[in-house]
Amino acid sequence: MSVSRRHALQLALAATAAPAGAAPARPGTGLEGQRRADLGDGRYLNPIVAGDHADPTVLKDGRDYWMTFSSFQSYPGAVLWHSTDLVNWTPVTAALQQNIGTVWAMDLVKHEGRYYLYIPVLQAQGTGVYVIHADDMRGPWSAPIDLKLPGCIDPGHVVGEDGRRYLFLNGGRRVRLTDDGLATDGPLEANAWQPWPYPADWVVEMAAPEGPKLLRRDGWFYLVSAVGGTAGPPTSHMVTVARSRSVHGPWHHCPHNPIVRTKSADEPWWSRGHASFVEGPAGDWWMVYHGYENGFRTLGRQALLEPLSWTKDGWPLAMGGTLARPLPAPRGGRAGPAGLPLSDDFSRARLGLPWRFHAPGPDEASRLTWGPDGLRMRGKGRTLADCSPLLCINGDRRYECSVDVDVTGDGHAGLALFYDERGHAGLGFSRSEMLTYGYGQEQTWMREPREARRVRIHLVNRDHVLTWRTSHDGGATWVQHPWQMEVSGFHHNVFGGFVSLRIALFSAGDGEARFHHFVYRGLTA
């Protein structure tokens, strides 16, 4: 950096110092980081799980409900959420502790007293399907078993009228399973089910028949699936239904298809689809699916709940409209805690709840040490892009967070928002410099000499505009960073990958960082 440019930057930093009395983010009341769906008056407002919780699969187990979502490249993965009323959900444990690839739309089932999670993954050699199992939802869960189904994703489990177990898969395929559900028992069958043919003039991303989920009700097998693509135009993706008296078909399409679809970009939720049907606590019916929030694709696909009714001739009807307004909550359940506080002193390990690594190696967890003095993280890689940052999902449109960082060794560490290796923004500190990341790379011209053995970093994200402040005296005085970054384009339609813009703690290079006093608060304005 030239002397004149560095001097200009120093002047800008001095000119933007925070006013006296300015404070970092403080813990709010209630649960930070999770917009509450439950309005407390017998109604709820979507989303039921805010932030990037795509491809929901939901299981009713007595009075309990369990749900999990795609975890993509983040590990630990397959976080299991619990509810007793379908509206208030709490994460309990991460079922998948081994990195087997990029995890997509799973299916969570119970069969003869045992729980199974069928997991599609993307690996270097292509896609495939694994299974893990447990005798208790809280674990321990087994090691992953490869079902050897190359080229397949989106498994949907069902027990046929013949008593045999089957997985239905994307593209209309199916395979029979062994009685224990841990291996295939026959060839992969093509054309076992046919996707619903939407009108040719509809504006969608692509055909993409996927996400088959099956249930049996009143002598019918129902196959719920998605077509239209999961992103792209706002009117992509939809929920379609077919049914048959036999698991072997023939399947007949619902005359009301698609039962859910975003018809206009003016609606609050875009690309609604990938549904699972579930019976409510009072015996009524509901479906859980995902959608992008209008104007906030950066939050990823969020979990939505919609009531169902059934026609006299046994077809489902969606009853929630565009989900723009509060809806009557399911009856008969008991409201429990929702979400998980994101603010953390890092005195105890909660890896997977909510923190998890992006693109980890086999021994990534060994980089971390949790204790009374905070979270210690060994450096990796050279930059924010390649250091496998520690991420957490949040679901607020506007929020602030802060963290204290101590840096030792020859690396640098800090706080960032991270979509993937190509899309991120953040601030990092070495022992002698401040580093600025934007547009998915370090802005080397903004490197600034700064003594930074201990620094507090404060971030505000207000409608996709990031404002940064730093303090070197524990928050007594603050200096605002001169660059306010705009990040509305950090989402799937720009970068692919299907994920979201997540809060990240990172440690890069040949050193170690200590993080403590992470504080998060959602903002209303």
Side-chain angles (χ1 to χ4, degrees):
M1 181 186 290
S2 68
V3 173
S4 60
R5 177 172 256 182
R6 177 176 292 129
H7 180 64
L9 181 58
Q10 290 170 333
L11 288 176
L13 285 166
T16 55
R26 299 182 304 275
T29 58
L31 295 173
E32 300 88 13
Q34 177 66 60
R35 275 185 283 167
R36 292 297 299 266
D38 192 342
L39 300 180
D41 60 0
R43 300 179 303 159
Y44 74 97
L45 182 65
N46 279 295
I48 54 167
V49 185
D52 188 27
H53 297 93
D55 306 314
T57 173
V58 60
L59 169 67
K60 177 177 172 60
D61 184 25
R63 296 183 178 181
D64 297 307
Y65 294 91
W66 295 91
M67 184 160 58
T68 192
F69 312 93
S70 293
S71 47
F72 303 103
Q73 285 183 280
S74 296
Y75 285 84
V79 175
L80 297 172
W81 293 65
H82 175 258
S83 175
T84 55
D85 66 354
L86 290 175
V87 172
N88 296 282
W89 292 88
T90 306
V92 173
T93 188
L96 185 61
Q97 297 291 325
Q98 180 178 331
N99 186 352
I100 54 176
T102 300
V103 169
W104 287 342
M106 296 172 276
D107 197 25
L108 179 62
V109 300
K110 183 179 183 180
H111 180 70
E112 294 184 351
R114 174 169 286 186
Y115 302 96
Y116 299 82
L117 190 55
Y118 291 93
I119 306 172
V121 296
L122 173 64
Q123 300 171 326
Q125 64 271 28
T127 59
V129 179
Y130 285 70
V131 60
I132 60 177
H133 58 89
D135 294 323
D136 188 300
M137 288 294 283
R138 292 169 176 79
W141 286 80
S142 73
I145 301 168
D146 187 355
L147 294 180
K148 298 180 172 55
L149 291 168
C152 295
I153 59 171
D154 292 14
H157 176 275
V158 69
V159 178
E161 74 278 10
D162 55 7
R164 303 301 303 270
R165 303 175 67 175
Y166 298 87
L167 283 186
F168 283 66
L169 301 148
N170 66 310
R173 294 171 291 178
R174 186 185 74 170
V175 68
R176 191 173 66 223
L177 297 175
T178 55
D179 290 343
D180 63 7
L182 304 180
T184 60
D185 187 26
L188 182 65
E189 306 169 58
N191 301 315
W193 60 280
Q194 294 293 326
W196 179 73
Y198 56 84
D201 61 346
W202 282 11
V203 179
V204 300
E205 184 181 39
M206 64 180 75
E210 61 189 14
K213 294 289 183 287
L214 294 102
L215 70 146
R216 196 174 188 182
R217 179 182 183 272
D218 294 343
W220 291 100
F221 289 93
Y222 290 88
L223 191 156
V224 186
S225 64
V227 291
T230 194
T235 51
S236 296
H237 221 27
M238 59 198 83
V239 178
T240 68
V241 180
R243 73 180 184 186
S244 173
R245 290 293 187 186
S246 170
V247 76
H248 304 293
W251 296 93
H252 302 284
H253 295 300
C254 176
H256 314 297
N257 275 340
I259 66 168
V260 170
R261 180 184 178 231
T262 302
K263 297 179 181 179
S264 166
D266 295 330
E267 295 181 23
W269 294 100
W270 293 352
S271 298
R272 293 187 288 156
H274 202 103
S276 292
F277 287 9
V278 63
E279 186 178 1
D284 49 0
W285 282 83
W286 300 79
M287 61 178 158
V288 181
Y289 54 86
H290 64 219
Y292 285 106
E293 190 165 3
N294 188 336
F296 288 90
R297 278 198 174 108
T298 52
L299 292 176
R301 292 167 292 167
Q302 305 182 57
L304 311 173
L305 178 70
E306 181 165 358
L308 282 176
S309 66
W310 297 88
T311 64
K312 290 181 179 180
D313 56 352
W315 288 110
L317 294 174
M319 304 301 293
T322 66
L323 308 186
R325 294 182 175 86
L327 296 168
R331 295 174 292 108
R334 185 185 72 256
L340 188 71
L342 297 188
S343 297
D344 201 336
D345 63 4
F346 296 128
S347 61
R348 60 190 178 91
R350 292 200 301 174
L351 195 56
L353 301 175
W355 298 96
R356 57 191 102 165
F357 280 110
H358 170 77
D363 61 344
E364 209 69 40
S366 67
R367 293 175 58 203
L368 300 181
T369 303
W370 312 75
D373 63 344
L375 170 66
R376 294 183 181 271
M377 185 189 307
R378 276 202 326 269
K380 178 182 178 181
R382 306 311 306 172
T383 71
L384 172 55
D386 64 359
C387 71
S388 290
L390 196 61
L391 308 178
C392 74
I393 295 169
N394 71 290
D396 291 301
R397 305 181 190 98
R398 306 172 188 92
Y399 56 89
E400 62 179 347
C401 59
S402 63
V403 68
D404 290 357
V405 185
D406 297 345
V407 183
T408 60
D410 295 327
H412 67 281
L415 175 68
L417 294 187
F418 190 89
Y419 184 86
D420 68 5
E421 293 80 359
R422 301 158 297 163
H424 45 263
L427 293 187
F429 286 85
S430 69
R431 290 183 296 175
S432 59
E433 290 184 307
M434 179 178 70
L435 290 73
T436 300
Y437 286 91
Y439 307 120
Q441 58 187 335
E442 189 207 340
Q443 303 298 303
T444 54
W445 66 272
M446 295 192 80
R447 281 204 184 191
E448 178 68 15
R450 193 79 66 85
E451 177 66 27
R453 291 186 181 275
R454 173 173 292 186
V455 60
R456 180 170 296 173
I457 307 173
H458 177 242
L459 160 67
V460 175
N461 182 356
R462 185 173 277 109
D463 299 329
H464 302 129
V465 176
L466 311 186
T467 304
W468 301 88
R469 295 185 296 149
T470 57
S471 175
H472 294 265
D473 56 10
T477 58
W478 290 89
V479 176
Q480 182 167 317
H481 194 281
W483 187 15
Q484 295 191 63
M485 308 174 191
E486 207 281 342
V487 294
S488 62
F490 286 21
H491 58 75
H492 172 80
N493 278 6
V494 176
F495 292 109
F498 297 107
V499 290
S500 66
L501 191 59
R502 295 151 291 177
I503 295 169
L505 305 179
F506 69 96
S507 178
D510 298 324
E512 182 181 81
R514 180 167 68 96
F515 299 93
H516 46 118
H517 299 133
F518 177 79
V519 180
Y520 178 94
R521 184 175 67 166
L523 302 174
T524 58

